[in-house]
Amino acid sequence: MPESKSRNKKKVTAKAEKAEAKIALPGEAVNPRWLAPVMVGLMVLGLAWIVTFYLTSADLGLPIPQIGQWNLAVGFGLIIVGFGLTTRWR
């Protein structure tokens, strides 16, 4: 009795080729090594800046006492720059 074509098994080699790790080809975009640490570092630094300001605002006004409430803008600016770097992530 003849077998139907739908029952024929596909070659295993096609699946093995798809399972291989993807290697970046010339011309493909790859993340620079500095991107992730700088991105995360800026967001954490901005958060630490804001938390430091809120915890010390009544007494010292740290991190920079002379600029007062603008410390919040500096902290949020650092966070925004960090999130801006996420757009370069590939």
Side-chain angles (χ1 to χ4, degrees):
M1 179 181 278
E3 291 183 23
S4 65
K5 291 183 180 180
S6 63
R7 287 187 165 198
N8 291 339
K9 294 182 180 179
K10 294 183 180 181
K11 293 182 180 180
V12 178
T13 57
K15 289 183 181 179
E17 290 175 3
K18 290 181 181 179
E20 289 180 10
K22 185 177 180 182
I23 299 172
L25 300 173
E28 273 190 36
V30 178
N31 290 327
R33 299 182 108 196
W34 58 266
L35 182 65
V38 170
M39 176 178 63
V40 172
L42 284 172
M43 289 188 277
V44 169
L45 180 64
L47 179 65
W49 192 288
I50 292 171
V51 168
T52 303
F53 175 71
Y54 271 120
L55 292 178
T56 63
S57 64
D59 300 332
L60 303 174
L62 295 175
I64 303 175
Q66 293 82 9
I67 63 174
Q69 294 293 322
W70 283 100
N71 280 306
L72 292 175
V74 172
F76 280 117
L78 290 170
I79 292 171
I80 289 169
V81 171
F83 276 118
L85 286 176
T86 62
T87 61
R88 298 179 56 95
W89 187 266
R90 292 177 177 67

Coordinates of all heavy atoms in Angstrom, one line a residue:
M1 N 0.8 -1.2 0.0 CA 0.0 0.0 0.0 C 0.9 1.2 0.0 O 1.8 1.4 0.8 CB -0.9 0.0 1.2 CG -1.8 1.2 1.3 SD -2.8 1.2 2.7 CE -4.1 0.2 2.3
P2 N 0.7 2.2 -0.9 CA 1.5 3.4 -0.9 C 1.2 4.3 0.3 O 0.1 4.4 0.7 CB 1.1 4.1 -2.2 CG -0.2 3.5 -2.6 CD -0.3 2.1 -2.0
E3 N 2.3 5.0 0.7 CA 2.2 5.9 1.8 C 1.8 7.3 1.3 O 2.3 7.7 0.2 CB 3.5 6.0 2.6 CG 3.8 4.7 3.4 CD 5.0 4.9 4.2 OE1 5.4 6.0 4.5 OE2 5.7 3.9 4.5
S4 N 1.1 8.1 2.1 CA 0.8 9.4 1.7 C 2.0 10.3 1.9 O 2.8 10.1 2.7 CB -0.4 10.0 2.5 OG -0.1 10.1 3.9
K5 N 2.0 11.4 1.1 CA 3.1 12.3 1.2 C 3.1 13.1 2.5 O 4.2 13.5 3.0 CB 3.1 13.3 0.0 CG 3.4 12.6 -1.3 CD 3.4 13.7 -2.4 CE 3.7 13.0 -3.7 NZ 3.7 13.9 -4.8
S6 N 2.0 13.3 3.2 CA 2.0 14.1 4.4 C 2.6 13.3 5.6 O 2.9 13.9 6.6 CB 0.5 14.5 4.7 OG -0.2 13.3 5.0
R7 N 2.8 12.0 5.4 CA 3.3 11.2 6.5 C 4.9 11.1 6.4 O 5.5 10.7 7.4 CB 2.8 9.8 6.5 CG 1.4 9.7 6.9 CD 1.0 8.3 7.0 NE -0.2 8.2 7.8 CZ -0.7 7.1 8.3 NH1 0.0 6.0 8.2 NH2 -1.8 7.1 9.0
N8 N 5.4 11.6 5.3 CA 6.9 11.5 5.2 C 7.5 12.5 6.3 O 7.0 13.6 6.4 CB 7.3 11.9 3.8 CG 7.0 10.9 2.8 OD1 6.7 9.7 3.2 ND2 6.9 11.3 1.6
K9 N 8.5 12.0 7.0 CA 9.2 12.8 8.0 C 10.1 13.8 7.3 O 10.8 13.5 6.3 CB 9.9 12.0 9.0 CG 9.0 11.1 9.8 CD 9.8 10.3 10.8 CE 8.8 9.5 11.6 NZ 9.6 8.7 12.6
K10 N 10.2 15.0 7.8 CA 11.1 16.0 7.3 C 12.5 15.7 7.8 O 12.7 15.0 8.8 CB 10.7 17.4 7.8 CG 9.4 17.8 7.2 CD 9.1 19.2 7.6 CE 7.8 19.7 7.0 NZ 7.4 21.0 7.4
K11 N 13.5 16.2 7.1 CA 14.9 15.9 7.4 C 15.2 16.6 8.7 O 14.8 17.7 9.0 CB 15.8 16.4 6.3 CG 15.7 15.6 5.0 CD 16.7 16.1 4.0 CE 16.5 15.3 2.7 NZ 17.5 15.8 1.7
V12 N 16.0 16.0 9.5 CA 16.4 16.5 10.8 C 17.4 17.7 10.6 O 17.5 18.6 11.4 CB 17.1 15.4 11.7 CG1 17.6 16.0 13.0 CG2 16.1 14.3 11.9
T13 N 18.2 17.7 9.5 CA 19.2 18.7 9.3 C 18.6 20.1 9.2 O 19.2 21.1 9.6 CB 20.0 18.4 8.0 OG1 19.1 18.3 6.9 CG2 20.8 17.1 8.2
A14 N 17.4 20.2 8.7 CA 16.8 21.6 8.6 C 16.5 22.1 10.0 O 16.7 23.3 10.2 CB 15.5 21.5 7.8
K15 N 16.1 21.3 10.9 CA 15.9 21.7 12.3 C 17.2 22.1 13.0 O 17.2 23.0 13.8 CB 15.1 20.7 13.1 CG 13.7 20.5 12.6 CD 12.9 19.5 13.5 CE 11.5 19.4 13.1 NZ 10.8 18.4 13.9
A16 N 18.2 21.3 12.7 CA 19.5 21.5 13.3 C 20.1 22.9 12.9 O 20.7 23.6 13.7 CB 20.4 20.4 13.0
E17 N 19.9 23.2 11.6 CA 20.4 24.5 11.2 C 19.7 25.7 11.8 O 20.3 26.7 12.2 CB 20.2 24.6 9.7 CG 21.1 23.7 8.9 CD 20.8 23.7 7.4 OE1 19.9 24.5 7.0 OE2 21.4 23.0 6.6
K18 N 18.4 25.5 12.1 CA 17.6 26.6 12.8 C 18.0 26.7 14.2 O 17.9 27.8 14.8 CB 16.1 26.4 12.7 CG 15.6 26.6 11.3 CD 14.1 26.3 11.2 CE 13.6 26.5 9.8 NZ 12.1 26.2 9.8
A19 N 18.4 25.6 14.9 CA 18.7 25.6 16.3 C 20.1 26.2 16.6 O 20.4 26.5 17.7 CB 18.7 24.2 16.8
E20 N 21.0 26.4 15.6 CA 22.3 26.9 15.8 C 22.2 28.4 16.3 O 21.2 29.1 15.9 CB 23.1 26.9 14.5 CG 23.5 25.5 14.1 CD 24.3 25.5 12.8 OE1 24.7 26.7 12.4 OE2 24.6 24.5 12.3
A21 N 23.1 28.8 17.1 CA 23.1 30.1 17.6 C 23.3 31.1 16.5 O 24.2 30.9 15.6 CB 24.2 30.3 18.6
K22 N 22.6 32.2 16.5 CA 22.7 33.2 15.5 C 24.0 34.0 15.7 O 24.3 34.6 16.7 CB 21.6 34.2 15.5 CG 21.5 35.2 14.4 CD 20.3 36.0 14.4 CE 20.4 37.0 13.3 NZ 19.2 37.9 13.3
I23 N 24.8 34.1 14.7 CA 26.1 34.8 14.7 C 25.9 36.1 13.9 O 25.3 36.1 12.8 CB 27.2 34.0 14.1 CG1 27.4 32.7 14.9 CG2 28.5 34.8 14.0 CD1 28.4 31.7 14.3
A24 N 26.4 37.2 14.5 CA 26.2 38.5 13.8 C 27.1 38.5 12.5 O 28.3 38.2 12.5 CB 26.7 39.6 14.7
L25 N 26.4 38.8 11.5 CA 27.1 38.9 10.2 C 27.6 40.3 9.9 O 27.1 41.3 10.6 CB 26.1 38.6 9.1 CG 25.4 37.2 9.1 CD1 24.4 37.0 8.1 CD2 26.5 36.1 8.9
P26 N 28.6 40.5 9.1 CA 29.0 41.8 8.8 C 27.9 42.7 8.2 O 27.1 42.3 7.4 CB 30.1 41.6 7.7 CG 30.5 40.2 7.8 CD 29.3 39.5 8.3
G27 N 27.8 43.9 8.8 CA 26.7 44.8 8.4 C 25.5 44.7 9.3 O 24.7 45.6 9.3
E28 N 25.4 43.7 10.2 CA 24.3 43.6 11.2 C 24.7 44.5 12.4 O 25.8 44.6 12.8 CB 24.1 42.2 11.6 CG 23.2 41.4 10.8 CD 22.8 40.1 11.4 OE1 22.7 40.0 12.6 OE2 22.7 39.1 10.6
A29 N 23.7 45.0 13.0 CA 23.9 45.9 14.1 C 24.1 45.1 15.4 O 23.4 44.1 15.6 CB 22.7 46.8 14.3
V30 N 25.1 45.4 16.1 CA 25.4 44.7 17.4 C 25.5 45.8 18.5 O 26.0 46.9 18.2 CB 26.7 43.9 17.3 CG1 27.1 43.3 18.6 CG2 26.6 42.9 16.2
N31 N 25.1 45.5 19.7 CA 25.1 46.4 20.8 C 26.6 46.6 21.2 O 27.4 45.7 21.3 CB 24.4 45.9 22.0 CG 22.9 45.9 21.8 OD1 22.4 46.7 21.1 ND2 22.3 44.9 22.4
P32 N 27.0 47.9 21.4 CA 28.3 48.1 21.9 C 28.4 47.6 23.3 O 27.4 47.6 24.0 CB 28.5 49.6 21.9 CG 27.3 50.2 21.2 CD 26.3 49.1 21.0
R33 N 29.6 47.2 23.8 CA 29.7 46.7 25.1 C 29.4 47.7 26.2 O 29.0 47.3 27.3 CB 31.2 46.2 25.3 CG 31.5 45.1 24.3 CD 32.9 44.6 24.6 NE 32.7 43.2 25.2 CZ 33.6 42.6 25.8 NH1 34.8 43.1 26.0 NH2 33.4 41.4 26.3
W34 N 29.6 48.9 26.0 CA 29.4 50.0 27.0 C 27.9 50.3 27.2 O 27.5 51.0 28.2 CB 30.2 51.2 26.7 CG 29.8 51.8 25.3 CD1 30.5 51.6 24.2 CD2 28.7 52.7 25.0 NE1 29.8 52.3 23.1 CE2 28.8 53.0 23.6 CE3 27.8 53.3 25.8 CZ2 27.9 53.8 23.0 CZ3 26.8 54.1 25.1 CH2 26.9 54.4 23.8
L35 N 27.1 50.0 26.2 CA 25.7 50.5 26.2 C 24.9 50.0 27.5 O 24.3 50.9 28.2 CB 24.9 50.0 25.0 CG 23.5 50.5 24.8 CD1 23.5 52.0 24.7 CD2 22.8 49.9 23.6
A36 N 24.8 48.7 27.7 CA 24.0 48.3 28.9 C 24.5 48.8 30.2 O 23.7 49.3 31.0 CB 24.0 46.7 28.9
P37 N 25.8 48.7 30.5 CA 26.2 49.3 31.8 C 26.0 50.8 32.0 O 25.6 51.2 33.1 CB 27.7 49.0 31.9 CG 28.0 47.9 30.9 CD 26.9 48.1 29.8
V38 N 26.2 51.5 30.9 CA 26.0 53.0 31.0 C 24.5 53.3 31.2 O 24.0 54.1 32.0 CB 26.5 53.7 29.8 CG1 26.1 55.2 29.7 CG2 28.1 53.6 29.8
M39 N 23.6 52.5 30.4 CA 22.2 52.7 30.5 C 21.7 52.5 31.9 O 21.0 53.3 32.5 CB 21.6 51.8 29.5 CG 20.1 51.8 29.4 SD 19.5 50.6 28.1 CE 20.1 49.1 28.7
V40 N 22.0 51.3 32.4 CA 21.5 50.9 33.8 C 22.2 51.9 34.8 O 21.5 52.3 35.8 CB 21.9 49.5 34.0 CG1 21.6 49.1 35.5 CG2 21.1 48.6 33.1
G41 N 23.4 52.2 34.6 CA 24.1 53.1 35.6 C 23.5 54.4 35.7 O 23.3 55.0 36.8
L42 N 23.1 55.0 34.5 CA 22.5 56.3 34.6 C 21.1 56.3 35.3 O 20.8 57.2 36.0 CB 22.3 56.9 33.2 CG 23.6 57.4 32.5 CD1 23.4 57.8 31.1 CD2 24.1 58.7 33.3
M43 N 20.3 55.2 35.0 CA 19.0 55.1 35.6 C 19.2 54.9 37.1 O 18.4 55.6 37.9 CB 18.2 54.0 35.0 CG 17.8 54.4 33.6 SD 16.6 53.2 32.9 CE 17.8 52.0 32.3
V44 N 20.1 54.1 37.6 CA 20.3 53.9 39.0 C 20.9 55.2 39.7 O 20.5 55.5 40.8 CB 21.3 52.7 39.2 CG1 21.7 52.6 40.7 CG2 20.6 51.4 38.8
L45 N 21.8 55.9 39.0 CA 22.3 57.1 39.5 C 21.3 58.2 39.7 O 21.2 58.9 40.7 CB 23.5 57.6 38.6 CG 24.2 58.9 39.1 CD1 24.8 58.7 40.4 CD2 25.1 59.4 38.0
G46 N 20.4 58.3 38.7 CA 19.3 59.2 38.8 C 18.4 58.9 40.0 O 17.9 59.8 40.7
L47 N 18.0 57.6 40.1 CA 17.2 57.2 41.2 C 17.9 57.5 42.6 O 17.2 58.0 43.5 CB 16.9 55.7 41.1 CG 16.0 55.1 42.2 CD1 14.6 55.8 42.2 CD2 15.9 53.6 42.1
A48 N 19.2 57.2 42.7 CA 19.9 57.4 43.9 C 20.0 58.9 44.2 O 19.9 59.4 45.4 CB 21.3 56.9 43.8
W49 N 20.1 59.8 43.1 CA 20.1 61.2 43.3 C 18.8 61.7 43.9 O 18.8 62.5 44.8 CB 20.4 61.9 42.0 CG 20.7 63.3 42.0 CD1 19.9 64.4 42.3 CD2 22.0 63.9 41.7 NE1 20.6 65.5 42.2 CE2 21.9 65.3 41.9 CE3 23.2 63.4 41.4 CZ2 22.9 66.2 41.7 CZ3 24.3 64.2 41.2 CH2 24.1 65.6 41.3
I50 N 17.7 61.3 43.4 CA 16.4 61.7 43.8 C 16.1 61.2 45.3 O 15.7 62.0 46.1 CB 15.3 61.2 42.9 CG1 15.4 62.0 41.6 CG2 13.9 61.4 43.5 CD1 14.5 61.4 40.5
V51 N 16.5 60.0 45.6 CA 16.3 59.4 46.9 C 17.1 60.2 47.9 O 16.7 60.5 49.0 CB 16.6 57.9 46.9 CG1 16.7 57.4 48.3 CG2 15.5 57.1 46.1
T52 N 18.4 60.5 47.6 CA 19.3 61.2 48.4 C 18.7 62.6 48.7 O 18.7 63.1 49.8 CB 20.7 61.4 47.8 OG1 21.2 60.1 47.6 CG2 21.6 62.1 48.7
F53 N 18.2 63.2 47.7 CA 17.6 64.6 47.9 C 16.4 64.5 48.8 O 16.2 65.3 49.7 CB 17.2 65.2 46.5 CG 16.4 66.5 46.7 CD1 17.1 67.6 47.1 CD2 15.1 66.6 46.4 CE1 16.5 68.8 47.2 CE2 14.4 67.8 46.6 CZ 15.1 68.9 47.0
Y54 N 15.5 63.5 48.6 CA 14.3 63.5 49.5 C 14.7 63.1 50.9 O 14.0 63.6 51.8 CB 13.3 62.4 48.9 CG 12.4 63.0 47.9 CD1 12.3 62.5 46.6 CD2 11.5 64.1 48.3 CE1 11.4 63.1 45.7 CE2 10.6 64.6 47.4 CZ 10.6 64.1 46.1 OH 9.7 64.7 45.2
L55 N 15.7 62.3 51.1 CA 16.0 61.9 52.5 C 16.7 63.0 53.2 O 16.7 63.1 54.4 CB 16.9 60.6 52.5 CG 16.2 59.3 52.0 CD1 17.2 58.2 52.0 CD2 15.0 59.0 52.9
T56 N 17.4 63.9 52.5 CA 18.2 64.9 53.2 C 17.7 66.3 52.9 O 18.3 67.3 53.4 CB 19.7 64.9 52.7 OG1 19.8 65.1 51.3 CG2 20.3 63.5 53.0
S57 N 16.6 66.5 52.3 CA 16.1 67.8 51.9 C 15.8 68.7 53.1 O 16.0 69.9 53.0 CB 14.9 67.7 50.9 OG 13.8 67.1 51.6
A58 N 15.3 68.1 54.1 CA 14.9 68.9 55.3 C 16.2 69.5 56.0 O 16.2 70.6 56.5 CB 14.1 68.1 56.2
D59 N 17.2 68.7 56.0 CA 18.4 69.1 56.8 C 19.5 69.7 55.9 O 19.8 70.9 56.2 CB 19.0 67.8 57.4 CG 18.1 67.1 58.4 OD1 17.2 67.8 59.0 OD2 18.2 65.9 58.6
L60 N 20.0 69.0 54.9 CA 21.1 69.5 54.2 C 20.8 69.9 52.7 O 21.5 70.6 52.1 CB 22.2 68.4 54.2 CG 22.7 67.9 55.6 CD1 23.6 66.8 55.4 CD2 23.3 69.1 56.3
G61 N 19.8 69.3 52.1 CA 19.5 69.5 50.7 C 20.5 68.9 49.8 O 20.7 69.4 48.7
L62 N 21.1 67.8 50.2 CA 22.1 67.2 49.3 C 21.4 66.6 48.1 O 20.2 66.5 48.1 CB 22.8 66.0 50.1 CG 23.7 66.5 51.3 CD1 24.2 65.3 52.0 CD2 24.8 67.4 50.8
P63 N 22.0 66.2 47.1 CA 23.4 66.2 46.8 C 24.1 67.6 46.5 O 25.3 67.7 46.8 CB 23.5 65.3 45.5 CG 22.2 64.8 45.3 CD 21.2 65.5 46.1
I64 N 23.4 68.5 45.9 CA 24.0 69.9 45.7 C 23.0 70.9 46.4 O 22.0 71.2 45.9 CB 24.1 70.2 44.2 CG1 24.9 69.2 43.5 CG2 24.7 71.6 44.1 CD1 25.0 69.4 42.0
P65 N 23.4 71.4 47.6 CA 22.5 72.2 48.3 C 22.2 73.6 47.6 O 21.1 74.1 47.8 CB 23.2 72.5 49.7 CG 24.3 71.5 49.7 CD 24.6 71.0 48.3
Q66 N 23.1 74.1 46.8 CA 22.9 75.4 46.2 C 21.8 75.4 45.2 O 21.2 76.5 44.9 CB 24.2 75.9 45.6 CG 25.3 76.2 46.5 CD 26.1 74.9 46.9 OE1 25.9 73.8 46.4 NE2 26.9 75.1 47.9
I67 N 21.5 74.3 44.5 CA 20.5 74.3 43.5 C 19.1 74.0 44.0 O 18.1 74.1 43.2 CB 20.9 73.4 42.3 CG1 21.0 72.0 42.7 CG2 22.2 73.9 41.7 CD1 21.2 71.0 41.5
G68 N 18.9 73.6 45.2 CA 17.6 73.4 45.8 C 16.8 72.3 45.1 O 17.2 71.2 44.9
Q69 N 15.6 72.7 44.7 CA 14.6 71.8 44.1 C 15.1 71.3 42.7 O 14.5 70.3 42.2 CB 13.3 72.4 44.0 CG 12.6 72.7 45.3 CD 12.2 71.4 46.0 OE1 11.8 70.4 45.4 NE2 12.4 71.4 47.3
W70 N 16.1 72.0 42.1 CA 16.6 71.6 40.8 C 17.3 70.2 40.9 O 17.6 69.6 39.9 CB 17.5 72.6 40.2 CG 16.7 73.8 39.7 CD1 16.4 75.0 40.3 CD2 16.0 73.8 38.4 NE1 15.6 75.7 39.5 CE2 15.3 75.0 38.3 CE3 15.8 72.9 37.4 CZ2 14.6 75.4 37.2 CZ3 15.1 73.2 36.3 CH2 14.4 74.5 36.2
N71 N 17.6 69.8 42.1 CA 18.1 68.4 42.3 C 17.2 67.4 41.7 O 17.7 66.4 41.2 CB 18.4 68.1 43.8 CG 19.7 68.7 44.2 OD1 20.8 68.5 43.7 ND2 19.6 69.5 45.3
L72 N 15.9 67.6 41.8 CA 14.9 66.7 41.2 C 15.1 66.7 39.7 O 15.0 65.6 39.1 CB 13.5 67.1 41.6 CG 13.1 66.9 43.1 CD1 11.8 67.5 43.3 CD2 13.2 65.5 43.5
A73 N 15.3 67.8 39.1 CA 15.5 67.9 37.6 C 16.7 67.1 37.2 O 16.7 66.5 36.2 CB 15.5 69.3 37.2
V74 N 17.8 67.3 38.0 CA 19.0 66.6 37.7 C 18.8 65.1 37.7 O 19.2 64.3 36.8 CB 20.2 67.0 38.6 CG1 21.4 66.1 38.4 CG2 20.5 68.5 38.4
G75 N 18.1 64.6 38.8 CA 17.9 63.2 38.9 C 17.0 62.6 37.8 O 17.3 61.6 37.2
F76 N 15.9 63.3 37.5 CA 15.0 62.9 36.4 C 15.7 63.0 35.1 O 15.5 62.2 34.2 CB 13.7 63.7 36.4 CG 12.7 63.2 37.4 CD1 12.3 64.0 38.4 CD2 12.2 61.9 37.3 CE1 11.4 63.6 39.4 CE2 11.3 61.5 38.3 CZ 10.9 62.3 39.3
G77 N 16.6 64.0 34.9 CA 17.4 64.1 33.7 C 18.3 62.9 33.5 O 18.4 62.4 32.3
L78 N 18.9 62.5 34.5 CA 19.8 61.3 34.4 C 19.0 60.0 34.0 O 19.4 59.2 33.2 CB 20.5 61.0 35.7 CG 21.6 62.0 36.1 CD1 22.1 61.8 37.5 CD2 22.8 61.9 35.1
I79 N 17.8 59.9 34.6 CA 16.9 58.8 34.3 C 16.4 58.8 32.9 O 16.4 57.8 32.1 CB 15.7 58.7 35.3 CG1 16.2 58.4 36.7 CG2 14.7 57.7 34.8 CD1 15.2 58.5 37.8
I80 N 16.1 60.0 32.4 CA 15.6 60.2 31.0 C 16.7 59.9 30.0 O 16.5 59.2 29.0 CB 15.1 61.6 30.8 CG1 13.7 61.8 31.6 CG2 14.9 61.9 29.3 CD1 13.2 63.2 31.6
V81 N 17.9 60.3 30.3 CA 19.1 59.9 29.4 C 19.3 58.4 29.4 O 19.5 57.8 28.3 CB 20.4 60.7 29.8 CG1 21.6 60.2 29.1 CG2 20.2 62.2 29.6
G82 N 19.1 57.8 30.6 CA 19.3 56.3 30.6 C 18.2 55.6 29.8 O 18.5 54.7 29.0
F83 N 17.0 56.1 29.9 CA 15.9 55.5 29.1 C 16.1 55.9 27.6 O 15.7 55.1 26.7 CB 14.5 56.0 29.5 CG 14.0 55.2 30.7 CD1 13.7 55.8 31.9 CD2 13.7 53.9 30.5 CE1 13.2 55.1 32.9 CE2 13.2 53.1 31.6 CZ 13.0 53.7 32.8
G84 N 16.7 57.0 27.3 CA 17.0 57.4 25.9 C 18.0 56.4 25.3 O 17.9 56.1 24.1
L85 N 18.9 55.9 26.1 CA 19.9 54.9 25.6 C 19.2 53.6 25.3 O 19.7 52.8 24.5 CB 21.0 54.7 26.6 CG 22.0 55.9 26.7 CD1 23.0 55.6 27.8 CD2 22.7 56.1 25.3
T86 N 18.1 53.3 25.9 CA 17.4 52.0 25.6 C 16.9 52.0 24.2 O 16.7 50.9 23.7 CB 16.2 51.8 26.6 OG1 15.2 52.8 26.4 CG2 16.7 51.7 28.0
T87 N 16.7 53.1 23.6 CA 16.3 53.1 22.2 C 17.4 52.6 21.2 O 17.1 52.3 20.1 CB 15.8 54.5 21.7 OG1 16.9 55.4 21.8 CG2 14.7 55.0 22.6
R88 N 18.6 52.6 21.7 CA 19.7 52.2 20.9 C 19.9 50.7 21.0 O 20.8 50.1 20.3 CB 21.0 52.9 21.2 CG 20.9 54.4 20.9 CD 22.2 55.1 21.3 NE 23.3 54.5 20.7 CZ 23.9 55.0 19.5 NH1 23.3 56.0 19.0 NH2 24.9 54.4 19.0
W89 N 19.2 50.0 21.9 CA 19.4 48.6 22.2 C 18.8 47.8 21.0 O 17.8 48.1 20.5 CB 18.6 48.2 23.5 CG 18.8 46.8 23.9 CD1 18.0 45.8 23.6 CD2 19.8 46.3 24.7 NE1 18.5 44.7 24.2 CE2 19.7 45.0 24.9 CE3 20.9 46.9 25.3 CZ2 20.5 44.2 25.6 CZ3 21.8 46.1 26.1 CH2 21.6 44.8 26.2
R90 N 19.6 46.8 20.6 CA 19.2 46.0 19.4 C 19.1 44.6 19.9 O 19.7 44.0 20.6 CB 20.2 46.1 18.3 CG 20.1 47.5 17.7 CD 21.2 47.6 16.6 NE 21.2 48.8 15.9 CZ 21.5 50.0 16.3 NH1 21.8 50.1 17.6 NH2 21.5 51.0 15.6

